Amino acid sequence: MPIIEFTAGKLSREVKDKLITQLTDISVEITGIPRHLFFITINEKPDEDIAVGGVSVQKLKEELNKQK
C-alpha cells in the first residue's frame, strides 16, 4: 500500500480535498497501482512554525493578503 505524506502550513478543507484527489489521480496514472490502495496523510503545521528565507509562513501570508 503506497503512502503519500504531504506537510504544509494551515490549509482549507477545499485545498485538502483537492490534494487528496489530485495526488491520488496522478499517482495512479504514473504507477498503475489501483487508487483504492493509496493512503494519503496531510500533516498541517502552524504557519508560525514554518519559515522560508527566514520569514514565517504566517508573515508571508499576511504580506500576500495586503497585496490583494
Side-chain angles (χ1 to χ4, degrees):
M1 175 179 355
I3 299 171
I4 298 171
E5 294 186 55
F6 187 92
T7 302
K10 181 73 174 144
L11 301 169
S12 69
R13 178 78 260 155
E14 180 181 280
V15 169
K16 288 187 260 188
D17 289 344
K18 285 182 182 180
L19 279 168
I20 290 167
T21 300
Q22 293 183 17
L23 287 171
T24 302
D25 289 346
I26 195 68
S27 298
V28 168
E29 180 183 322
I30 291 169
T31 66
I33 297 170
R35 71 183 311 102
H36 69 274
L37 295 177
F38 278 92
F39 181 83
I40 296 179
T41 180
I42 297 173
N43 303 303
E44 291 180 278
K45 303 286 185 187
D47 288 343
E48 63 269 13
D49 291 352
I50 302 172
V52 178
V55 180
S56 74
V57 169
Q58 179 180 3
K59 289 182 181 176
L60 291 171
K61 285 182 177 179
E62 289 169 2
E63 289 301 317
L64 287 172
N65 285 331
K66 286 180 188 176
Q67 295 174 10
K68 290 183 180 179

